[in-house]
Amino acid sequence: GMFAYYPYALLEVFLILQQHPHIKGIRASTIRQIHAHLHLIDERFRADIKNRSLFMEIIRQPKGVTHEFRRMNQLGVLGAYLPEFGRIVGQMQHDLFHAYTVDEHTLFLVGNLRRFSCSEFKDEFPLCSEVFYQLPKPELLYIAGIYHDIAKGRGGDHSILGVKDAEQFCTQHNLSDYDTSIVTFLVRQHLAMSSTAQKKDLEDPEVIQDFAALVGSVNRLNYLYLLTVADIRATNNNLWNGWRDSLLKQLYHSTHQWLEHTEAQAKSTQEKSYKKYQLALDKLSEMGWPPQDITQLWLEYDLDYFLRHSVDEIAWQTNGRLEHPDEEPLILVRPHNEKQTLELCIFTHDRRGLFASMTACLEQLQLNILDAKINISNDGKTLNTFIVNGTQQRFEDITAALHKQLAREHLISGYKPQLMPRTTKLFQTEPVIKFSVNPQHTHTVMELYTHDRPGLLSVVAQVFLSNQIQVINAKMVTLGDQVEDVFFITNSDDNALTETEQQRLDAELKDKLVMQAEAVLSNSVAF
């Protein structure tokens, strides 16, 4: 056959298909010939400058990259040319997040990156499309995409191990040192942006400064942002939601500002709070409220309130309080920045069990809580903000249920598990709990990794209550049936937790979560 005389054709055939989209595919006889000659893709073939140039040519084509990579993978050519890729073909991933084998996931990711470059999809992810056009060399993004999970399943940290393979690829394909450093940075740090967005306080300028230092330039930030969005969207279908989207955008914009040193970027938490105070004041004055009424209301808030909420949220909440000056509890609901998400604001006097009681109420309505912020004013009032999954039709249910719950004399915590369909697979794995202290030593950060089930947050809130723990801020992430929740908490003296308090909280949480998992299981019915 032709391949025996002219082995280059084993790669060239894909380039030809890419450049001539009217050719509808490969004949069965050609497929058999490719299979019969795969053994020709050996060390010598891979070392040949002509083959290396052909491979780079395929990656650099303006169209058809994903399509041809898929086809090369199906015919075994990709795994033969990149033996390290061959090792992940068909490899299952042993964590609960990934719905696909490593090679499928990798090719989905490359396909997602590719979509950002197509003008017909620009409404899908406008920021990503805009950023894509700023990349000097999109092929670096595809190479990083191919190598980001290449070392999965080898034991050890796959981000570190993958760097060696990526580096070798770049050397063999004559990439400059500068381009190689971008690819290796992306492989090494491909999880950094999503974990910062998810687990750190994005309103804290120190967090942004550290992340900006890690990224180093706007160019690298652009590459990393696109890789992150494509990776999350290729992991499993439930991972991507409006809430994650907005957190990543916020981190992208803040870091971009920091790296460009714009005037808008506050350099300290104090300065940032003050800027937001001013902007929200201007916005409310434009809405027609007298400035002294606004500032009078704000006397009871601390700087932290302005730090933790966006200018838009501050204006929305303050406007609601000024419109209903005597209403308590005051409950405001509005659609959040995404169609499927709602934002709730509950203003009421502080009392024991409040957080536990509100979470129980929302969970009883089968709403998923994505974020919670709690602000206690110096005259014993609380302003609580929740972001939940839900649609506008539910406004009335939510308001009515919360009013009913808050009208009770004793705030009980009762989350009553409803009959659960058996689809809730609860694995008998012990929850993992990690504690750390924020840089300013003002509060403890508690990370909880466990299996998702109804009423989870209520249990956690109950345990906080019995240990006199106060919650300042909480971020919830549900990935498939895994939960990663991050709580910013203090003890009853408003300090970070002591060693003893941590141990007590850890033991009680594990105990209660295991009990609750069993209760939910015994309540579930086989459908």
Side-chain angles (χ1 to χ4, degrees):
M2 167 177 81
F3 296 114
Y5 292 108
Y6 187 75
Y8 305 123
L10 285 165
L11 285 176
E12 202 166 26
V13 63
F14 299 101
L15 182 61
I16 292 167
L17 286 163
Q18 211 174 357
Q19 290 169 336
H20 303 90
H22 57 275
I23 304 178
K24 279 292 172 272
I26 308 185
R27 281 205 294 270
S29 56
T30 313
I31 291 177
R32 283 197 295 277
Q33 285 296 309
I34 291 176
H35 278 299
H37 291 89
L38 276 180
H39 64 276
L40 296 175
I41 305 182
D42 55 9
E43 283 302 312
R44 215 177 89 207
F45 180 99
R46 293 182 206 109
D48 190 322
I49 186 76
K50 185 159 182 200
N51 291 323
R52 290 178 173 182
S53 310
L54 273 170
F55 190 79
M56 286 307 294
E57 199 56 33
I58 292 172
I59 290 190
R60 290 191 176 116
Q61 288 302 304
K63 282 232 171 344
V65 177
T66 318
H67 206 259
E68 293 317 313
F69 268 175
R70 288 229 136 113
R71 197 178 341 228
M72 287 163 81
N73 193 34
Q74 278 155 1
L75 299 177
V77 173
L78 194 55
Y81 182 72
L82 302 174
E84 59 276 25
F85 191 84
R87 271 187 254 164
I88 58 168
V89 171
Q91 187 192 320
M92 286 313 295
Q93 314 208 40
H94 297 294
D95 60 39
L96 295 165
F97 302 164
H98 287 82
Y100 309 108
T101 57
V102 187
D103 61 312
E104 282 177 318
H105 160 70
T106 301
L107 294 174
F108 272 128
L109 182 150
V110 172
N112 287 337
L113 291 172
R114 193 72 212 146
R115 273 176 99 91
F116 299 149
S117 73
C118 307
S119 52
E120 64 268 31
F121 295 124
K122 71 173 192 298
D123 298 341
E124 209 177 27
F125 291 95
L127 180 59
C128 292
S129 300
E130 190 185 310
V131 168
F132 191 94
Y133 288 110
Q134 295 165 26
L135 300 181
K137 296 185 179 174
E139 69 267 24
L140 303 181
L141 192 53
Y142 300 134
I143 296 167
I146 290 171
Y147 281 92
H148 84 292
D149 274 355
I150 204 91
K152 274 273 176 89
R154 290 188 206 167
D157 183 331
H158 74 279
S159 306
I160 296 172
L161 295 170
V163 168
K164 283 203 183 68
D165 286 348
E167 214 158 11
Q168 198 183 345
F169 175 94
C170 294
T171 312
Q172 287 169 349
H173 293 78
N174 288 337
L175 269 68
S176 68
D177 289 351
Y178 178 75
D179 288 351
T180 303
S181 73
I182 289 180
V183 173
T184 52
F185 161 76
L186 290 170
V187 173
R188 175 71 191 88
Q189 301 297 349
H190 71 274
L191 298 168
M193 191 164 191
S194 60
S195 88
T196 301
Q198 208 43 70
K199 297 178 187 169
K200 299 272 173 71
D201 180 359
L202 298 185
E203 299 298 351
D204 182 345
E206 277 185 41
V207 168
I208 304 302
Q209 186 176 6
D210 290 347
F211 183 69
L214 173 80
V215 176
S217 72
V218 169
N219 189 30
R220 282 183 172 194
L221 174 68
N222 286 342
Y223 280 109
L224 184 57
Y225 174 63
L226 296 179
L227 185 61
T228 305
V229 175
D231 190 17
I232 296 175
R233 292 190 57 238
T235 300
N236 95 32
N237 294 337
N238 319 329
L239 271 193
W240 185 256
N241 59 31
W243 177 237
R244 299 198 87 155
D245 187 21
S246 68
L247 287 177
L248 284 170
K249 278 193 187 121
Q250 183 184 352
L251 179 55
Y252 175 82
H253 290 305
S254 305
T255 309
H256 198 291
Q257 280 189 339
W258 192 281
L259 290 164
E260 300 260 282
H261 308 295
T262 59
E263 287 308 298
Q265 184 68 57
K267 296 291 185 248
S268 69
T269 46
Q270 210 135 4
E271 186 190 346
K272 184 158 187 176
S273 304
Y274 187 66
K275 280 192 157 142
K276 285 186 171 176
Y277 183 105
Q278 270 318 120
L279 289 165
L281 187 60
D282 297 345
K283 196 168 174 166
L284 286 156
S285 309
E286 273 168 34
M287 290 162 78
W289 295 108
Q292 65 275 16
D293 291 7
I294 304 164
T295 51
Q296 185 61 41
L297 197 62
W298 285 351
L299 283 176
E300 56 198 63
Y301 295 174
D302 54 11
L303 278 179
D304 210 46
Y305 169 78
F306 296 94
L307 186 63
R308 300 236 172 275
H309 293 82
S310 69
V311 173
D312 181 52
E313 286 171 344
I314 298 166
W316 172 59
Q317 296 176 2
T318 307
N319 179 60
R321 287 195 59 194
L322 291 165
E323 277 181 350
H324 308 276
D326 306 315
E327 205 169 306
E328 204 258 304
L330 173 65
I331 298 168
L332 308 169
V333 190
R334 67 172 183 174
H336 189 245
N337 61 3
E338 231 350 85
K339 301 172 273 304
Q340 298 303 314
T341 329
L342 301 177
E343 187 175 356
L344 322 177
C345 166
I346 301 145
F347 179 75
T348 184
H349 62 282
D350 192 24
R351 51 208 172 118
R352 202 175 139 70
L354 184 61
F355 180 66
S357 162
M358 289 185 299
T359 52
C361 181
L362 294 171
E363 290 190 318
Q364 201 79 58
L365 293 167
Q366 316 255 301
L367 294 166
N368 228 345
I369 299 172
L370 302 170
D371 186 86
K373 297 188 182 79
I374 291 94
N375 277 85
I376 301 181
S377 70
N378 45 26
D379 62 354
K381 295 274 195 328
T382 63
L383 217 166
N384 310 275
T385 320
F386 290 96
I387 309 276
V388 298
N389 270 8
T391 50
Q392 218 157 332
Q393 295 89 302
R394 309 216 49 195
F395 278 19
E396 274 96 46
D397 305 346
I398 295 170
T399 320
L402 281 166
H403 272 298
K404 194 172 150 188
Q405 180 81 314
L406 294 173
R408 299 190 166 148
E409 211 156 313
H410 298 292
L411 291 176
I412 50 101
S413 63
Y415 172 81
K416 300 175 192 52
Q418 274 134 342
L419 279 183
M420 288 297 305
R422 251 293 148 73
T423 49
T424 35
K425 300 189 295 288
L426 285 169
F427 297 74
Q428 295 307 313
T429 44
E430 174 112 321
V432 177
I433 299 171
K434 294 182 190 160
F435 293 98
S436 55
V437 181
N438 72 323
Q440 295 81 11
H441 288 275
T442 48
H443 59 255
T444 296
V445 179
M446 183 188 102
E447 294 175 46
L448 167 68
Y449 301 87
T450 184
H451 288 274
D452 192 24
R453 61 253 172 155
L456 174 68
L457 206 52
S458 306
V459 175
V460 177
Q462 271 312 104
V463 175
F464 284 158
L465 181 61
S466 63
N467 284 275
Q468 297 183 335
I469 301 281
Q470 310 192 46
V471 183
I472 309 169
N473 199 341
K475 292 184 177 189
M476 324 296 160
V477 203
T478 308
L479 308 167
D481 60 353
Q482 280 285 78
V483 174
E484 295 184 23
D485 289 347
V486 185
F487 298 92
F488 297 79
I489 54 179
T490 60
N491 61 16
S492 50
D493 308 328
D494 291 329
N495 293 321
L497 275 59
T498 63
E499 210 39 55
T500 326
E501 289 170 327
Q502 277 184 21
Q503 286 160 358
R504 200 172 62 216
L505 182 60
D506 181 89
E508 194 177 330
L509 270 171
K510 283 180 178 159
D511 189 40
K512 292 280 194 293
L513 286 168
V514 171
M515 271 169 52
Q516 188 238 3
E518 285 162 6
V520 171
L521 261 183
S522 63
N523 242 310
S524 64
V525 281
F527 274 84

